[in-house]
Amino acid sequence: MPILPQPPYFLVIASLLIGVTSGLAFKGTLEQLVRDWSRDRSIDLKAKQNSKELTIPFITMSGGICVFLSSGLQIFTFPPDIAYIISVPLTIGTSALVWWQLGELLEKLAKEGFKALSLDAF
């Protein structure tokens, strides 16, 4: 009878910490970008979205989420290759949609100002 490897509990905790800390760095960078833009409206928000200051935390956060999802699936007895086959496309798709939505929001913010982002309008 083959011995199954232990579930990757360490990876779950480590990837969760990576995702959370990178998410906090992304949040702080994004807040600083919007704060700077509110002081100086000549800043190109779309160009700043593609800067490494914003993309590196976002990619790191997405990578942490991918490993977290895969490790979570492995805990529920999925083999590692199947777990990554599920988690990688799911993470890439979700991250791409979030990045696109962020770009749309920054573009709308640049054109119409903060009133365009009012939740009461929806």
Side-chain angles (χ1 to χ4, degrees):
M1 182 165 143
I3 297 174
L4 296 174
Q6 291 295 319
Y9 295 115
F10 172 76
L11 281 179
V12 169
I13 294 168
S15 61
L16 180 63
L17 290 175
I18 289 169
V20 168
T21 55
S22 298
L24 290 173
F26 178 74
K27 174 188 170 275
T29 305
L30 188 59
E31 284 176 348
Q32 185 63 42
L33 170 67
V34 172
R35 202 174 303 122
D36 291 346
W37 175 82
S38 69
R39 288 187 205 120
D40 180 14
R41 299 288 173 113
S42 66
I43 295 174
D44 184 13
L45 288 175
K46 194 67 173 173
K48 287 288 189 176
Q49 179 192 7
N50 296 323
S51 69
K52 67 181 177 181
E53 289 85 13
L54 207 56
T55 55
I56 289 174
F58 186 79
I59 291 171
T60 307
M61 179 178 59
S62 298
I65 290 169
C66 181
V67 174
F68 177 78
L69 285 173
S70 176
S71 301
L73 288 173
Q74 290 176 51
I75 287 173
F76 292 107
T77 67
F78 278 83
D81 53 348
I82 300 296
Y84 279 103
I85 286 172
I86 293 170
S87 65
V88 168
L90 185 63
T91 304
I92 289 173
T94 304
S95 297
L97 287 173
V98 168
W99 191 255
W100 174 76
Q101 183 66 36
L102 176 64
E104 294 292 316
L105 284 172
L106 289 177
E107 189 175 309
K108 191 171 185 174
L109 178 66
K111 287 181 182 175
E112 301 174 31
F114 287 108
K115 291 181 183 178
L117 301 180
S118 173
L119 293 177
D120 295 334
F122 297 111

